[in-house]
Each structure stands twice: as structure tokens, then as C-alpha cells.
Amino acid sequence: MSTVIAQPVEARLVAAAPRMPTIPAMLHYNRRDPFAVRMTFPAPATLEGVEVCWTFARDLLAAGLEGPDGQGDVRVRPYGFDRTVLEFHAPEGTAIVHVHSADLRRFLDATEVLVPAGLEHLQLDLDDGLAELMRDAG
């Protein structure tokens, strides 16, 4: 069984312009980092012209499908019947994207098969993490 899930999604960038362009994005989940989800945007879709990756809690994504959630750099909320809004806040500005809720649910379902919610702690290798901390401290 794979330890990583990568699922492409289409994100619709909300901008000041009347047309909302669709951009490709990639959702990532790794069993070795069981609490986190990563959403990556390719270089052509970013203002800086470099790939941008946001990391946030899997629980935040799941909760945001049901109602507004998040207080920090990433906020998630339902939008209409079939879309979810993800807001990414950075010093340079805020990016707001719409993603089909069904795509997010499919991704979360796949992560649940890999690591059921509530059992993430069983995936953590505390000995390896402690060894890494000790190497960094020395």
C-alpha cells in the first residue's frame, strides 16, 4: 500500500477581474506526516512565478467542507452547493480559490483509508523524530 496520496484538482482563482481562470493544483497527503495536507500550485499560476506549496491540517480541510473554519494563514468554508473556498493569507496578499467539494471529499476519503482520523498518532515515529532533533541540536 502506498504511503503517499497525490490528487490533481482544478482550482478557480477568485480575482478582481470578471473572469475567474481555472488553475491546476495538487493535493498531497503523506502517511509520515499524518496530520498535514499540502496543496501545491504550479509556477505559472503564482504571482512570483515559482511553485507554491501550502501546508495545513487535514482536520481543517474536513471541517471547512461543513462550515467556515480556520483563523490563521489558511481558511476553508463551503460555497454554494458544490464548491469549497480556500483562502491562503500571506504577507504578499491573499489568494482565494474555489475547488469542487466532491474532489476534496474524494481526497479526504483516500486519506482516511490510508490513516483513519483519530489514529494519526500511530503513524508518528517518535524515536526517529527525537533522533532528528538531537542531530539538529548538536
Side-chain angles (χ1 to χ4, degrees), residues 5-11 23-28 39-40 99-100 102-104 106-107:
I5 296 168
Q7 178 182 313
V9 294
E10 289 294 321
I23 56 174
M26 184 71 72
L27 289 167
H28 304 270
M39 189 167 195
T40 306
V99 178
H100 286 283
D103 291 341
L104 297 177
R106 186 170 39 260
F107 173 76

Side-chain angles (χ1 to χ4, degrees), residues 78-103:
Y79 182 78
F81 175 72
D82 65 344
R83 295 200 186 263
T84 300
V85 173
L86 291 96
E87 293 182 19
F88 301 99
H89 297 263
E92 301 80 19
T94 300
I96 301 173
V97 296
H98 291 181
V99 178
H100 286 283
S101 300
D103 291 341

Side-chain angles (χ1 to χ4, degrees), residues 43-89:
T46 69
L47 292 175
E48 298 82 17
V50 296
E51 182 178 274
V52 173
C53 182
W54 286 85
T55 302
F56 50 97
R58 175 172 71 160
D59 289 348
L60 171 63
L61 186 59
L65 283 166
E66 304 306 319
D69 204 7
Q71 298 178 20
D73 295 342
V74 180
R75 300 172 193 171
V76 184
R77 69 178 183 278
Y79 182 78
F81 175 72
D82 65 344
R83 295 200 186 263
T84 300
V85 173
L86 291 96
E87 293 182 19
F88 301 99
H89 297 263

Side-chain angles (χ1 to χ4, degrees), residues 105-121:
R105 283 191 179 87
R106 186 170 39 260
F107 173 76
L108 287 170
D109 288 348
T111 71
E112 282 282 327
V113 170
L114 196 59
V115 179
L119 299 180
E120 294 92 348
H121 65 283

